[in-house]
Amino acid sequence: MLRPKEVICRWVDAFNAHDVEAIACLYHEEAVNHQVANEPVCGLAAIREMFTAEFAAAEMTAIVENLFEDGQWAILEWRDPLGLRGCGFFQVVNGKILLQRGYWDRLSFLKQHNLPVE
């Protein structure tokens, strides 16, 4: 069984390839993905839809700056080529992501990608 840090290394590879199915394989059916700038996304089907929509809307890349593991948790500090920085906390249970919480600046992201600012 993969350790949390190994799961997140695979997640980063799939994210950077914009491979929604490879990402989806890393989540529990009942997973929650809560990017704190947005409402929580609950369940694997909804998470798959979220990544499909996000990859269609913007060119996203996660460059790993730090990756830590503590028990069931992996903590990823990342940046993107445009200078946005953030971090994600992933609870990994039985080799699958059960909870993901991400922190990043939504306004900076929208402006960098020329997306509408609400």
Side-chain angles (χ1 to χ4, degrees):
M1 182 164 326
L2 295 175
R3 294 172 40 154
K5 202 170 179 179
E6 295 167 323
V7 171
I8 302 318
C9 285
R10 289 187 181 188
W11 185 92
V12 169
D13 289 343
F15 183 88
N16 288 342
H18 298 179
D19 187 338
V20 173
E21 289 313 309
I23 290 174
C25 290
L26 298 171
Y27 287 87
H28 275 276
E29 280 293 327
E30 267 67 84
V32 174
N33 183 318
H34 185 194
Q35 302 304 301
V36 298
N38 304 320
E39 291 298 314
V41 177
C42 302
L44 182 55
I47 290 170
R48 182 181 282 113
E49 289 175 21
M50 176 196 73
F51 279 112
T52 299
E54 288 181 351
F55 290 144
E59 179 67 31
M60 297 184 292
T61 302
I63 300 166
V64 176
E65 294 210 313
N66 287 294
L67 180 56
F68 305 98
E69 180 181 305
D70 185 15
Q72 292 184 335
W73 291 87
I75 301 104
L76 169 66
E77 183 182 22
W78 57 267
R79 66 180 170 84
D80 74 7
L82 300 175
L84 185 68
R85 294 183 175 276
C87 63
F89 293 79
F90 299 79
Q91 183 183 22
V92 178
V93 177
N94 297 323
K96 300 260 186 186
I97 300 165
L98 183 60
L99 174 65
Q100 176 182 354
R101 191 173 302 114
Y103 298 88
W104 45 275
D105 180 25
R106 179 180 174 89
L107 182 58
S108 294
F109 176 84
L110 293 172
K111 287 179 178 180
Q112 288 172 341
H113 292 280
N114 297 314
L115 295 170
V117 176
E118 291 102 22

